Structures are given as C-alpha cells and as structure tokens.
Amino acid sequence: MEFRILGPVELVGDGATRLAGVKQRTLLAALLLAGGRVLSDALLKNRLWGTDPPATVTAQLYAHVSELRKRLPAGVRLERRSPGYRLDIGDVTLDWHLFRRLAGRGLAGLADGRHAQAAEDLTAALELRRGPALAGVTEQLVDAEGPFIEEAYTAALESRIDADLALGRHTSLVPELVRLVAENPVRERLRGQLMTALHRCGRKADALAVYAESRRVLREELGMDPGHDLRRLHQAVLTDSLAGPEAAERITLTGPPAPSDDADHPAIP
C-alpha cells in the first residue's frame, strides 16, 4: 500500500480504495504533508475552501474527515487532536518521504565524492515523480505546498546533473540541459551546468553564448547581473581553465581475440 502525492494524489496497492473528489484528496494530501503534526481546523478549512468558505464549513469538514477515515487502509489513523486533526500513516509508504530519503542520501554521496552512487540515488528519487505534484487538489493547497515540492525536485535534478558531470557524462547531458534551461531561464545553476557541458564537448563559443544569454535574461527579468559562481565559470571558460570531470568513468574497449598459434586454427589476416 502506498500514498502518492508526487503526481496525482492517490492511494495505491492491493485493496486500496479510490479517493472521492477534490476535497477528499486535498484533505489527505494536507495531512500527509504535515508529517504527523496536527493541522488546525482553520488551516484545513483554508486549504479546502480558501478565504470564502460556505456557511456550513465546519459540518462539511467533519463530513470529509469521516468519509476519508472509511477509505484509509488498516494501520493508518486519522485522529482528532485539538485544535484539529493529525494523520499517522504507520508502515504505509509515502512517495514524498521516499523521495526525501533518496535525495538526502544522494546529496551526502555527492559531498563525499561517491558520484556514481549519488547519481543512482538521485535518479531513483527523481523517477518517483509522475507529473506535477499534488494533481487533483485545490488551488489553495497547490499554492501553499507546491513551490516547496517543486524546488526540492529541481534541486535534486541539479545535483544529479552535478554527479553526471563529475562522471564525465557531459556529451549526453547537453540536450537535457538545453531543455531545462529553456524551461527555467533564470536558474543560474542550470546555465552553469550547460556551460560546463558545452565547454567539455569542445564547444567554447556555445558556452560563452549561454553566458551572454544569461546576462540578458537576468537583466530583463530580474534587473540583476549573473551571480559570482556564474561569473567565475565564465572566466574559466574564457581562459580554458575549467577543470575536467572529477571522476570520469573508465571506458573499456574490447577488440577481437588475439591470433591463435595453433596450426589447426590459423590466424585470419
């Protein structure tokens, strides 16, 4: 059995009951994100109805709680704790918890120089995403919690790219980074990673063009110049002093077997 919020909010597994409606999915997702903390009635009402709740909001909240309880698997407890409710999921998995655990392990591996393991852990974390997080809930919950989840995802993605760059995978990274920079035009870390990958591919002029575009976009969008890290990287590209991959993977080339000296099996020239 598994709760999922990194995409459509749902409960999956043998015997799982389908969640009924936006309000029920929102209530569940809000309680899951609380991580066992009590969420007040006032906060839950805001997440479900925003700033314009119906006159019967208290009764409706109680009804949604009661209905959600019926759909939760064994071992999961939805409890009334003044001034609100808390959810204890017991041994049931939550994809968000698994994502944070894998991403944390990947970041630790990256810091320790275990780049291959870091890339593996971060890739596993990123693969848990099934689309935009918190799909199928109210706008109020998405606005409150969505940016934090998306930032965590993008940061993990950037760290996985750092691990791949350290392993010398720059050639395969270029198409992905071009797309990511287009999707996140003011994200300097991604632009720096694209510059690094391009320079290591022997495309110095393209790397410098990425920096020039960065300056233009940041000035137009935010009224600022590139930060210190991106400027330092630009100087390293200009002077061809950019360091190579820290832990480039070895490629083993295999050729044909050595010629045999056996008279019965003469070597083929």
Side-chain angles (χ1 to χ4, degrees):
M1 199 75 74
E2 180 184 8
F3 289 113
R4 293 179 176 176
I5 64 171
L6 300 178
V9 174
E10 58 187 356
L11 174 62
V12 298
D14 293 339
T17 304
R18 184 177 180 181
L19 300 172
V22 172
K23 295 290 192 294
Q24 194 170 103
R25 288 192 295 269
T26 301
L27 176 62
L28 174 62
L31 290 164
L32 287 170
L33 285 166
R37 293 180 291 106
V38 174
L39 291 187
S40 69
D41 291 349
L43 181 60
L44 288 172
K45 291 173 184 176
N46 176 267
R47 297 293 186 258
L48 270 65
W49 289 279
T51 58
D52 188 25
T56 58
V57 61
T58 299
Q60 288 194 42
L61 176 60
Y62 292 165
H64 284 303
V65 169
S66 177
E67 187 61 30
L68 179 59
R69 278 199 182 105
K70 298 174 184 177
R71 297 173 183 272
L72 294 175
V76 177
R77 299 193 306 275
L78 175 50
E79 306 169 330
R80 176 69 184 175
R81 293 283 184 88
S82 183
Y85 295 90
R86 72 179 293 272
L87 183 67
D88 180 358
I89 66 173
D91 295 330
V92 178
T93 302
L94 172 60
D95 60 355
W96 172 236
H97 290 168
L98 182 56
F99 170 87
R100 297 182 71 178
R101 185 160 60 249
L102 287 167
R105 196 165 70 191
L107 290 174
L110 194 59
D112 292 342
R114 293 180 282 110
H115 301 99
Q117 186 61 54
E120 183 177 327
D121 288 335
L122 289 162
T123 297
L126 296 167
E127 287 176 346
L128 293 171
R129 190 184 194 218
R130 297 164 292 110
L134 300 174
V137 304
T138 62
E139 293 181 6
Q140 292 83 8
L141 184 62
V142 172
D143 291 344
E145 302 286 358
F148 174 70
I149 296 174
E150 290 302 319
E151 174 61 29
Y153 178 86
T154 305
L157 177 60
E158 291 171 335
S159 295
R160 192 227 81 209
I161 292 170
D162 277 343
D164 284 340
L165 284 171
L167 292 165
R169 300 170 180 172
H170 39 269
T171 301
S172 62
L173 283 172
V174 169
E176 179 185 11
L177 281 165
V178 168
R179 174 180 57 81
L180 289 171
V181 166
E183 294 171 352
N184 304 271
V186 299
R187 194 110 183 164
E188 292 186 56
R189 186 177 177 188
L190 287 172
R191 287 189 177 273
Q193 290 171 328
L194 177 56
M195 290 171 63
T196 299
L198 287 169
H199 187 267
R200 288 179 182 171
C201 290
R203 297 170 60 180
K204 179 176 179 178
D206 290 335
L208 294 174
V210 170
Y211 180 78
E213 177 68 7
S214 302
R215 290 185 64 189
R216 184 189 65 79
V217 170
L218 289 170
R219 285 177 175 176
E220 290 181 359
E221 297 291 332
L222 304 176
M224 58 178 284
D225 286 322
H228 172 74
D229 289 344
L230 201 58
R231 295 198 308 271
R232 185 174 60 181
L233 178 60
H234 173 240
Q235 186 62 30
V237 171
L238 274 174
T239 59
D240 292 317
S241 58
L242 185 63
E246 300 172 50
E249 297 170 306
R250 294 182 179 181
I251 300 175
T252 303
L253 300 178
T254 58
S260 171
D261 293 330
D262 192 333
D264 293 334
H265 301 282
I268 298 175

